Every structure is written in structure tokens, then in C-alpha cells.
Amino acid sequence: MSATHATRIAWKMINDILKLIERLAPDPVCDDCIAERLQLADLQKVRIATNALAGTSRFERCSDTCALCDHKKLATRRSQ
């Protein structure tokens, strides 16, 4: 796989994660549910992506109840 192809795949995954979080806003969603909903096998890559999104002013990560699984854990939401 070329670096360009891998980069495109990574950006698509981040964009899909962003869209899911936006769709559920203002409710938070955990990494496990993001991975399950988007059928992403690599949870570590999901964590890297959600941490990157939380590094922007548009998103935040906090311990909260996930809107999808109803478990309290680290979750990502759109900043209010």
C-alpha cells in the first residue's frame, strides 16, 4: 500500500468519526461505540483519531455516559 493510499484511508476514517460525533451532538460517544458503528477493527486508531479531534476547539474528551452504550467512560463530544 502506498503512503498516499494509506493517508487517504486515514483521512476517510477521521472524517467518518467526525461525522458520527457531529450526528450525535451534543451527546458524547465512546471509542468502542465509534469503532463498532463504523466497523473499524483497530480501536487504537480510533483512539488516536478521537484524541486528535479533541485537540481542536470543536471537540472535547471527558469521562461521561456514552449516548450509544449508556456506559460511563472516556467519550468524545462536540464542544458547546
Side-chain angles (χ1 to χ4, degrees), residues 28-30 32-33 36-37 65-73:
V29 61
C30 72
D32 293 325
C33 287
E36 183 180 313
R37 281 289 170 103
T65 303
C66 175
L68 298 177
C69 69
D70 206 35
H71 287 98
K72 186 167 179 130
K73 54 172 90 175

Side-chain angles (χ1 to χ4, degrees), residues 1-2 9 11 13 18-19 22 26 30-33 43 45 55-57 60 62-67 69 75:
M1 177 183 310
S2 71
I9 291 170
W11 278 112
M13 181 190 72
L18 186 145
K19 286 179 184 177
E22 289 280 354
C30 72
D31 294 345
D32 293 325
C33 287
L43 186 58
K45 287 183 181 177
T56 71
S57 61
E60 61 188 18
C62 58
S63 180
D64 207 337
T65 303
C66 175
C69 69

